[in-house]
Amino acid sequence: MKNFILGLQWMLFIIAASIAVPISVSDLYMLNPQETLILMQNTLFILGIAGCIQGFFGHKMPISESPAGLWWSVLSIYSGMIAAGYATNIEVLQIFSGGMILSGILFIILSVTGLMDKISVFFSPVITIIYLLLLTLQLSGTFIKGIIGINAQNQVIEPVTAVLSIGVIILTFCLGSSKNKRIRQFSILLSIGAGWLIFMMFNKTGKIIFTDKIINFPRPLAFGMPKFDPGMASTAFFITFLLIMNMLASISIMGSITGDNEEKLVEKYKNSGLVSGINQILGGTFNTVGTVPVSSSAGFVAQIGEKSMVPYLAGCILVSIVSLFPKFINIMASLPAAIGYSVTFVLFSKMISMALFELKKVIDEENSYTIIGISILAGVGISFLPQSALNGLPSIISAFAGNGLITGSLLGVILEQIFLLKKRRAGKKAA
């Protein structure tokens, strides 16, 4: 029973962190209610399946899968091309599916050839610190907007939503620091449940998609056969390397919690890369946004204090099962986004703590702190660039230049390698 309840908690965490993506894509591409339901159902189904495959054959860690923000940003960019006569909304989704399939193939090639291992060498404690801090800083604005009720339809603060959200945050912190182990373990489930009830009392629930069907099976190629476009192919090639960085970061961060040594982590990198390729292909086949292991899982595990794989796998299985029931998807769609943002706010505060603990692993403090400072300053600065600044740039450049997390992290990798090269040369001269 304990594992089932913990699995239910994982299920709610996975859905709460992901449900906004298909709803957003539906709005961007003007999908009708039936198409929106298919997109939501396929998204949840693939999330559960992807998580199970990773858990059994990939990294084998309690790291949930979530629609990749990088793919989401590419979809947002391409949606603006519809009006310019690039293609119809469905054709763009077909082209996008083709890009994810190509990305999956590249993932597999890099893993099978051993190149994934070579890429993982660059992910040192310094890069982990940069990645964690940039991730939390970049998303902090999104969290605050969601907590106070600001979204695409509403650009002013909603006082009721803000007060209720702050209440959920306080409740999550209190439950997570309780002396009672069981309360700590179920703190996320209790917070989401209590918050949901309170939001319902104030009529602050989310969007519901009506349907009369009791059960409906996910449909592969629901929006047609994937199309392979040269522009999307080049974008997919570049995005794949950025997704690899995201994947390596998530595994490295969780490794600091589970206590895996470097040798184990390298093996997990390779296996996870292979499985991520399969998951990208599944995403393209089922017309969803490609998934990636998410770093926020580390905050979730730290919050509940449960590292076991059984509840995690149970949660993934539950996500895929509930995706078969449209009426349940209706219920999940009504989960207020503010609750998800509030709970995630707490989890990401844990991740800042993890970044600070990583400082203890730094050896060359002077150079490392310089690298961290430059990278974070550049990454945060890029995050403040207005979207209009990227207008007219190719999508492959926009996806990179507009993402302070990726740009700052890559800058950190480059700077660290330069400092290491100088150090090796100085050592040779001294010898």
Side-chain angles (χ1 to χ4, degrees), residues 214-253:
I214 296 176
I215 188 169
N216 191 45
F217 291 96
R219 290 171 50 192
L221 307 177
F223 299 121
M225 290 292 294
K227 293 185 177 181
F228 298 96
D229 173 77
M232 179 60 78
S234 60
T235 300
F237 179 84
F238 188 71
I239 290 293
T240 299
F241 286 94
L242 303 184
L243 291 176
I244 288 172
M245 175 175 283
N246 193 317
M247 179 194 75
L248 296 177
S250 298
I251 296 173
S252 175
I253 294 162

Side-chain angles (χ1 to χ4, degrees), residues 30 78-88:
M30 299 168 286
Y78 269 73
S79 69
M81 299 179 183
I82 298 172
Y86 183 85
T88 66

Side-chain angles (χ1 to χ4, degrees), residues 33 107 124 146 223-224 312 315 348 367-368:
F107 255 109
S124 66
F223 299 121
Y312 163 72
F348 270 77
N367 287 336
S368 296

Side-chain angles (χ1 to χ4, degrees), residues 59-75:
H59 49 61
K60 300 179 183 179
M61 304 172 88
I63 308 174
S64 65
E65 295 282 312
S66 185
L70 284 165
W71 281 128
W72 192 3
S73 66
V74 171
L75 264 179

Side-chain angles (χ1 to χ4, degrees), residues 68 203 214 294:
N203 195 28
I214 296 176
V294 289

Side-chain angles (χ1 to χ4, degrees), residues 69-295:
L70 284 165
W71 281 128
W72 192 3
S73 66
V74 171
L75 264 179
S76 301
I77 293 167
Y78 269 73
S79 69
M81 299 179 183
I82 298 172
Y86 183 85
T88 66
N89 57 346
I90 299 300
E91 286 174 328
V92 171
L93 292 177
Q94 293 168 351
I95 291 170
F96 182 71
S97 293
M100 280 192 292
I101 290 173
L102 290 175
S103 173
I105 294 171
L106 182 56
F107 255 109
I108 293 172
I109 292 172
L110 291 172
S111 297
V112 171
T113 57
L115 292 175
M116 190 71 71
D117 300 349
K118 292 178 173 57
I119 296 173
S120 67
V121 172
F122 296 108
F123 226 85
S124 66
V126 171
I127 306 306
T128 301
I129 294 167
I130 293 169
Y131 183 90
L132 280 173
L133 290 178
L134 282 177
L135 179 65
T136 51
L137 290 172
Q138 181 168 296
L139 292 176
S140 60
T142 302
F143 294 154
I144 296 300
K145 287 179 183 178
I147 287 168
I148 61 180
I150 292 178
N151 52 44
Q153 290 74 40
N154 177 59
Q155 294 296 310
V156 296
I157 296 175
E158 290 187 357
V160 174
T161 298
V163 171
L164 296 180
S165 297
I166 292 171
V168 173
I169 291 172
I170 294 172
L171 177 63
T172 307
F173 269 118
C174 291
L175 294 177
S177 58
S178 172
K179 295 181 179 179
N180 188 307
K181 182 180 177 181
R182 288 300 174 88
I183 292 178
R184 289 199 308 274
Q185 283 184 319
F186 302 127
S187 59
I188 302 299
L189 180 64
L190 293 171
S191 297
I192 291 176
W196 204 343
L197 287 173
I198 295 171
F199 270 72
M200 286 175 64
M201 292 171 58
F202 285 85
N203 195 28
K204 291 290 182 180
T205 53
K207 178 181 179 181
I208 295 181
I209 304 164
F210 295 98
T211 180
D212 295 326
K213 290 185 177 181
I214 296 176
I215 188 169
N216 191 45
F217 291 96
R219 290 171 50 192
L221 307 177
F223 299 121
M225 290 292 294
K227 293 185 177 181
F228 298 96
D229 173 77
M232 179 60 78
S234 60
T235 300
F237 179 84
F238 188 71
I239 290 293
T240 299
F241 286 94
L242 303 184
L243 291 176
I244 288 172
M245 175 175 283
N246 193 317
M247 179 194 75
L248 296 177
S250 298
I251 296 173
S252 175
I253 294 162
M254 185 60 75
S256 65
I257 295 177
T258 57
D260 288 323
N261 59 35
E262 190 62 33
E263 186 178 343
K264 283 186 178 180
L265 287 178
V266 169
E267 184 64 23
K268 290 177 183 295
Y269 293 148
K270 180 180 178 180
N271 293 340
S272 183
L274 184 61
V275 170
S276 289
I278 295 170
N279 289 342
Q280 297 302 309
I281 294 172
L282 283 174
T285 304
F286 280 83
N287 302 118
T288 67
V289 177
T291 67
V292 68
V294 289
S295 304

